[in-house]
Amino acid sequence: MIALADLHIGRLTLRGSATAIAHARATLPPALARARWPDEEAILVVRRIAVGGTGTELPARAAALAGQLAGRAVDPWTPGADGAEVVRFRDARDYRACLVRDLLAGTAARRWLWRHRAALLAHPTATALAELLGEDALALPALLEHPPLRACLPTLWCRLDAAAARSLLRAIGAATGWHGAISDALASRAAEAAGSGADLMTEAQTHHERISGDEIRPGPEPGPSPPPTGPAATRAGSPRRPAPPGAAAHGTLPASDPLVVLEALLTLWRCTPAALAGPQGGEVLRGAAAALAELGGGQDAESATARASGPGRARTAGGDLPDARRRRDAGAGSIPAGSPASRGFAPPASIRVGASPRAIAAVNARPAAPPRAGAPSEVTDPFAVTVTATQAEVDFHTGRGGLFFLLNVLNHPGLRAWRGTLHEPHAGWRELVRLALRLELAPDAPLTGFLAEACALEGEQDPVAKLAGLAKLPARADPVAVDRAVLRHVGDAALRALHAERPARVRASPSHVDVHLRLAEVDLELRRGGLDLDPGWLPWLGRVVRFHYDRSDAADRGGSSP
């Protein structure tokens, strides 16, 4: 059974008397919603359901046939889907990723499974992509991490234009609350244009015309379209020259161009979302965009870093910049073939597993603030750190599911000013671990491994040692305010309840964390303090966090009770 709001009927044809038609039209949708559909996350697209009978028989027969078809659903990513009667997507992310793939390949309008998206397909490709990616902007990092879509990402960045990137940025800003930072990063474009005359706009416009003039021919079968390997086709009469494949390639785009800002935003979303949510989010985003634009201008990492950092000597996590360049030239780093980084431009961290030395140099382009006395190893600037992509989708069980309730403590309205001081990479996860350790809430082995990965802690030691080392490091943000909030708003009874064993299944992606708990273990003390309420979107964490309360067997599966 599914919710009636999740059922979408594209076209309904009924034949019979007016009374029978009216009855069938009113009762058919609820009957279909009660059919035997797969789990609640899956999305099924059925080509047609044809049944006969009286007005009272039609709904039940249609529901029975729908249940039978659901059992024969085909994977929409396979060529066999075009001849199937029903396809099944794993979830909304899988659905959007497949549609992105088909839009880029030019096959979406020819496939029957996208007929219900006719309004979207009527737009130009760039506009359709921006609208589709912005439908659930909070899930964008997870969407770009979807494995079947990764081969298409180079083409995606080539197809997006400035208008589409601006539209997508608007959707992200509205969903995340980062609209102020995004507006600040884009607003500097007018000042840049005023200072450099018309040449800047003409140059950027010429770049967009070359991009839009490229021809990416779709293959005969729906599938990932490979990036162009030879000279790109251009308009008739124009000289044949390869078009710049990246958003800021060859330095033709300023740092305030929407495409550059979008790439910088996605990078920061993965490593320092708290900085975007802070009062200096605009400055942080502008700095990241400027570093990416400079590296996209064909300069080496040393020159870009030297100008940004002044007389100080910039360093990457692995050593000096010359050493980083040698590793880059030797092929170090995990960079998808055809990605902007592989062509001399640092792509968003959300589209790759690891960060290349060139991307590391980009975020290290700004100088680090002098360390405080007594903390010689502390780095206080959010850019003077290695961009480390955290784990992709994970699914595990833990006996310490209640530790996630501390996110509501850190998200308390009284700590708004404190959250504005979070500039450390992956600060949200690290402050969660620090608070848990101060409260002596030791995570078990599965949760320890997840938290060590989420905090992006480096080193060869085991996860337990990594978390212990994090507790010994000087805190970037003042812990006193958090401890006072715990004493004032949580209370002793709730703290005792937090220490109780609380089995949970945790499913985490680059955009969401879903914690499935047993309904029978709801604690009134925690509820009085609001600790077990659904946090939702946490801008300083960069994730959507949901607490699901299920039956015992449903919690073990990670699904909801019927």
Side-chain angles (χ1 to χ4, degrees):
M1 181 176 178
I2 62 174
L4 188 58
D6 293 332
L7 177 69
H8 302 276
I9 301 176
R11 184 175 61 181
L12 177 61
T13 303
L14 297 170
R15 297 183 178 89
S17 65
T19 303
I21 290 176
H23 181 271
R25 191 179 298 276
T27 57
L28 181 59
L32 288 175
R34 292 192 297 270
R36 295 177 57 188
W37 300 107
D39 61 87
E40 62 178 14
E41 292 187 355
I43 295 178
L44 264 71
V45 181
V46 183
R47 183 182 292 209
R48 67 176 65 88
I49 296 177
V51 294
T54 64
T56 56
E57 295 172 340
L58 281 178
R61 292 184 178 181
L65 180 57
Q68 296 174 13
L69 290 174
R72 302 197 297 266
V74 175
D75 185 353
W77 292 86
T78 63
D82 291 323
E85 290 299 315
V86 58
V87 295
R88 172 178 174 170
F89 299 93
R90 287 178 52 201
D91 48 30
R93 179 180 61 167
D94 192 50
Y95 169 89
R96 293 191 177 94
C98 188
L99 182 49
V100 168
R101 188 275 308 264
D102 290 345
L103 282 170
L104 294 173
T107 58
R110 302 200 301 266
R111 304 192 72 188
W112 68 266
L113 55 155
W114 304 126
R115 290 173 185 168
H116 63 288
R117 302 305 303 263
L120 179 76
L121 300 180
H123 296 304
T125 301
T127 305
L129 287 169
E131 182 177 331
L132 179 61
L133 297 175
E135 284 182 350
D136 187 3
L138 295 179
L140 188 56
L143 176 61
L144 296 179
E145 282 277 11
H146 199 46
L149 185 60
R150 287 188 179 183
C152 306
L153 291 177
T155 307
L156 171 63
W157 286 106
C158 288
R159 284 295 184 92
L160 287 176
D161 56 22
R166 185 180 292 274
S167 175
L168 183 54
L169 285 169
R170 190 181 302 114
I172 294 174
T176 61
W178 298 335
H179 47 78
I182 294 173
S183 298
D184 289 347
L186 293 174
S188 59
R189 179 169 189 170
E192 292 173 359
S196 58
D199 293 339
L200 176 65
M201 300 304 294
T202 303
E203 187 179 21
Q205 183 179 1
T206 302
H207 169 77
H208 287 306
E209 288 176 353
R210 290 201 299 268
I211 288 292
S212 61
D214 295 347
E215 181 180 353
I216 303 177
R217 295 184 177 90
E221 293 291 340
S225 60
T229 56
T234 57
R235 291 192 180 94
S238 62
R240 293 184 60 83
R241 57 182 177 180
H250 307 303
T252 57
L253 295 182
S256 56
D257 186 271
L259 285 165
V260 182
V261 173
L262 177 60
E263 296 205 32
L265 177 72
L266 291 173
T267 302
L268 293 173
W269 192 336
R270 289 301 306 273
C271 62
T272 55
L276 285 169
Q280 297 181 345
E283 180 183 352
V284 170
L285 184 54
R286 283 197 303 270
L292 291 175
E294 285 192 357
L295 290 177
Q299 313 169 61
D300 56 29
E302 295 93 325
S303 60
T305 307
R307 273 205 311 278
S309 49
R313 189 180 188 189
R315 297 177 63 89
T316 63
D320 297 334
L321 283 173
D323 181 55
R325 190 184 185 190
R326 285 193 295 270
R327 293 198 306 273
R328 178 200 68 197
D329 296 338
S334 176
I335 309 173
S339 69
S342 69
R343 300 184 293 263
F345 185 73
S350 57
I351 67 171
R352 67 197 194 285
V353 177
S356 69
R358 193 170 180 85
I360 293 172
V363 295
N364 277 306
R366 288 176 41 160
R372 296 199 307 262
S377 62
E378 183 182 3
V379 180
T380 58
D381 188 87
F383 289 96
V385 296
T386 301
V387 176
T388 305
T390 54
Q391 73 271 40
E393 190 168 356
V394 295
D395 188 341
F396 65 95
H397 290 82
T398 176
R400 290 292 186 178
L403 188 144
F404 289 95
F405 293 155
L406 294 179
L407 290 171
N408 278 321
V409 175
L410 298 178
N411 198 48
H412 193 275
L415 292 176
R416 183 186 303 273
W418 173 84
R419 290 191 296 271
T421 66
L422 299 179
H423 298 296
E424 183 181 11
H426 312 286
W429 291 114
R430 295 185 179 190
E431 291 301 328
L432 174 66
V433 171
R434 290 186 177 110
L435 176 58
L437 295 180
R438 290 200 301 272
L439 296 175
E440 299 182 349
L441 293 174
D444 56 12
L447 184 54
T448 297
F450 168 77
L451 292 174
E453 190 73 18
C455 293
L457 298 174
E458 299 179 355
E460 301 298 332
Q461 66 267 39
D462 64 279
V464 176
K466 287 182 178 181
L467 294 189
L470 176 63
K472 296 176 182 178
L473 290 177
R476 307 288 180 87
D478 185 8
V480 176
V482 179
D483 295 342
R484 288 175 178 172
V486 171
L487 295 176
R488 184 182 303 115
H489 303 291
V490 177
D492 294 339
L495 286 177
R496 287 193 298 270
L498 283 173
H499 285 80
E501 187 84 2
R502 207 167 299 278
R505 181 179 183 179
V506 181
R507 304 175 65 187
S509 74
S511 61
H512 286 68
V513 177
D514 291 278
V515 183
H516 294 265
L517 301 142
R518 296 175 180 175
L519 182 62
E521 296 183 0
V522 172
D523 191 286
L524 293 180
E525 295 296 337
L526 295 175
R527 179 57 53 91
R528 289 192 184 99
L531 296 184
D532 63 348
L533 299 179
D534 216 13
W537 165 247
L538 299 176
W540 48 274
L541 190 69
R543 304 277 187 107
V544 177
V545 182
R546 302 288 188 193
F547 296 151
H548 307 266
Y549 299 94
D550 312 319
R551 299 180 318 185
S552 296
D553 57 341
D556 293 337
R557 296 193 311 269
S560 62
S561 56

